[in-house]
Amino acid sequence: DMANGAKRKAALKILKKTAGAVGAVALATAAVPPAAMAAKKVAEVVEVVDNTKTIVTAGAAAVVAGGAVVALKGGSGKQDFLEADPYWDQSTVPVNVYKNKAPFTGKVVSTKRIVGPKATGETCHIVIDHKGDFPYWEGQSWGVIPPGVREKDGKPHAVRLYSIASSRYGDDMSGKTGSLCVRRATYWCPELKADDPAKKGICSNFICDTKPGDDMMMTGPAGKVMLLPEED
């Protein structure tokens, strides 16, 4: 038992060092926090494992997973290809590149509900593919033009602005996608005791109802007010 205990301690010590190394390499080479977090979780979990073989196997899995993440994110390449030079220089911030009369057509990659079943209302996370042709900075907004026309005058719907939820690299860190988090706007009618479809938000419902492959007419990026301050 004493020998087995010594083996377990030795295996755990090696695993912790390996997990830490994997996280450090991932952060240094590809700026991938999930790799470090995964390695840390493995180290935490194996502390309650009594079998040396299981610990060693878990350690090997951590190394493989960490290495896969680093390889996926480009090995030793840095995730800074969209940064300004110097990073705080705002002279190249794109503003209103696409306008109402000549909007950009984005392609919906995914639309997912991100609140629980008992939440009041519905909020969705929408990933949009722009192929790198619609760059933006953190703190800016995208405009979305819902399809169709207004009932009152037959004119196209006005653009609605939504804060961009992802960094300039997108959720996939490719620099070719961007994300919105949109709450579906509804109106509860006390007389009907139900949502009144005639008063629902035109654009938010369009966005939350999109499916992969759908087109989205977009404007912007808009705004410089919410950008991080320059050098000082």
Side-chain angles (χ1 to χ4, degrees):
D1 290 342
M2 293 180 63
N4 289 334
K7 288 181 180 180
R8 285 195 292 271
K9 289 182 180 180
L12 180 58
K13 185 176 181 181
I14 293 172
L15 175 58
K16 286 185 176 180
K17 288 183 178 180
T18 304
V22 169
V25 170
L27 287 170
T29 60
V32 190
M37 291 179 65
K40 181 176 182 293
K41 287 295 182 183
V42 171
E44 291 175 351
V45 170
V46 296
E47 289 188 15
V48 299
V49 178
D50 292 327
N51 186 282
T52 303
K53 183 177 179 180
T54 304
I55 293 176
V56 174
T57 303
V63 175
V64 173
V69 173
V70 173
L72 181 64
K73 294 300 180 179
S76 60
K78 292 184 178 180
Q79 199 74 52
D80 62 356
F81 58 90
L82 293 178
E83 301 300 321
D85 187 17
Y87 72 90
W88 43 262
D89 182 10
Q90 297 183 5
S91 62
T92 59
V93 176
V95 178
N96 296 325
V97 178
Y98 294 94
K99 299 179 173 61
N100 295 29
K101 294 183 178 180
F104 178 84
T105 302
K107 188 75 69 174
V108 175
V109 176
S110 64
T111 301
K112 296 181 180 179
R113 177 187 172 102
I114 56 174
V115 293
K118 295 183 179 180
T120 55
E122 180 180 30
T123 301
C124 294
H125 177 264
I126 305 93
V127 179
I128 303 160
D129 182 9
H130 59 77
K131 301 185 183 301
D133 298 327
F134 200 178
Y136 56 88
W137 279 32
E138 298 82 358
Q140 291 189 296
S141 300
W142 270 340
V144 177
I145 304 175
V149 295
R150 299 183 298 195
E151 292 184 4
K152 62 180 181 180
D153 55 16
K155 294 183 179 180
H157 289 295
V159 63
R160 273 77 160 177
L161 291 179
Y162 295 91
S163 297
I164 302 172
S166 55
S167 76
R168 69 191 72 182
Y169 298 98
D171 289 338
D172 60 359
M173 300 302 286
S174 69
K176 297 181 180 180
T177 67
S179 300
L180 299 176
C181 286
V182 178
R183 189 178 193 277
R184 188 188 294 273
T186 58
Y187 173 75
W188 176 266
C189 178
E191 296 179 357
L192 296 175
K193 295 184 179 179
D195 289 335
D196 187 346
K199 297 180 180 180
K200 68 180 182 180
I202 298 296
C203 196
S204 66
N205 279 270
F206 158 68
I207 294 174
C208 290
D209 287 337
T210 55
K211 296 177 176 58
D214 287 351
D215 289 338
M216 188 177 294
M217 307 302 287
M218 307 171 69
T219 65
K224 295 179 70 174
V225 177
M226 297 300 291
L227 297 180
L228 292 174
E230 297 197 31
E231 186 176 16
D232 58 351

